[in-house]
Amino acid sequence: MKSFSRIAVAGAAVAAVIAGTATPAMADTNRTISNSHGKFTFIDDGDMFEVCDTKADGHGVTGKLLESGSNDFVLTVTDGGDSGCDKKGYNIGNLREYQMWLSWNGGGATVKSIWFNE
């Protein structure tokens, strides 16, 4: 009887650990890419895209959203020269994949996210 109780307790503990690790995967998934001048964030709750210029250098930053199967950007958000970040909404789903691009308006390389969807 003691062995059965120990097995039951161990099984319950394993189930609790699995349930605890599975729950975060079901939550909204936000994504952020950044460089030394700013950041571009996808906020899954509400499909909002936010661009923040984090360096007062006279140049802003631009975030763009590329849709797979297209050479066109479906969203562009620019921030710079004012306080706070700029946001725009764009409804993405599971039928296409998207890639976020962040560039500094003063030149240099563009940072790109991995392809993703909801």
Side-chain angles (χ1 to χ4, degrees):
M1 202 56 148
K2 281 187 175 183
S3 295
F4 179 73
S5 296
R6 288 181 185 160
I7 291 171
V9 169
V14 169
V17 168
I18 290 171
T21 57
T23 303
M26 295 163 52
D28 291 333
T29 303
N30 298 338
R31 299 182 181 280
T32 299
I33 57 174
S34 62
N35 60 23
S36 61
H37 301 278
K39 64 181 181 173
F40 186 26
T41 302
F42 166 62
I43 303 162
D44 191 24
D45 183 17
D47 287 359
M48 189 64 63
F49 291 85
E50 178 180 70
V51 174
C52 299
D53 181 8
T54 59
K55 193 169 194 175
D57 57 10
H59 300 282
V61 291
T62 299
K64 295 183 178 184
L65 184 66
L66 181 66
E67 185 178 68
S68 65
S70 170
N71 289 339
D72 296 326
F73 292 102
V74 295
L75 176 78
T76 300
V77 185
T78 301
D79 185 49
D82 60 355
S83 62
C85 302
D86 288 348
K87 295 180 184 180
K88 283 188 183 176
Y90 186 82
N91 187 25
I92 67 169
N94 291 319
L95 299 178
R96 297 271 191 161
E97 290 200 322
Y98 298 87
Q99 187 179 47
M100 296 165 42
W101 293 26
L102 176 67
S103 55
W104 176 52
N105 298 343
T110 298
V111 177
K112 300 176 183 179
S113 74
I114 61 169
W115 289 94
F116 67 97
N117 64 15
E118 283 190 308

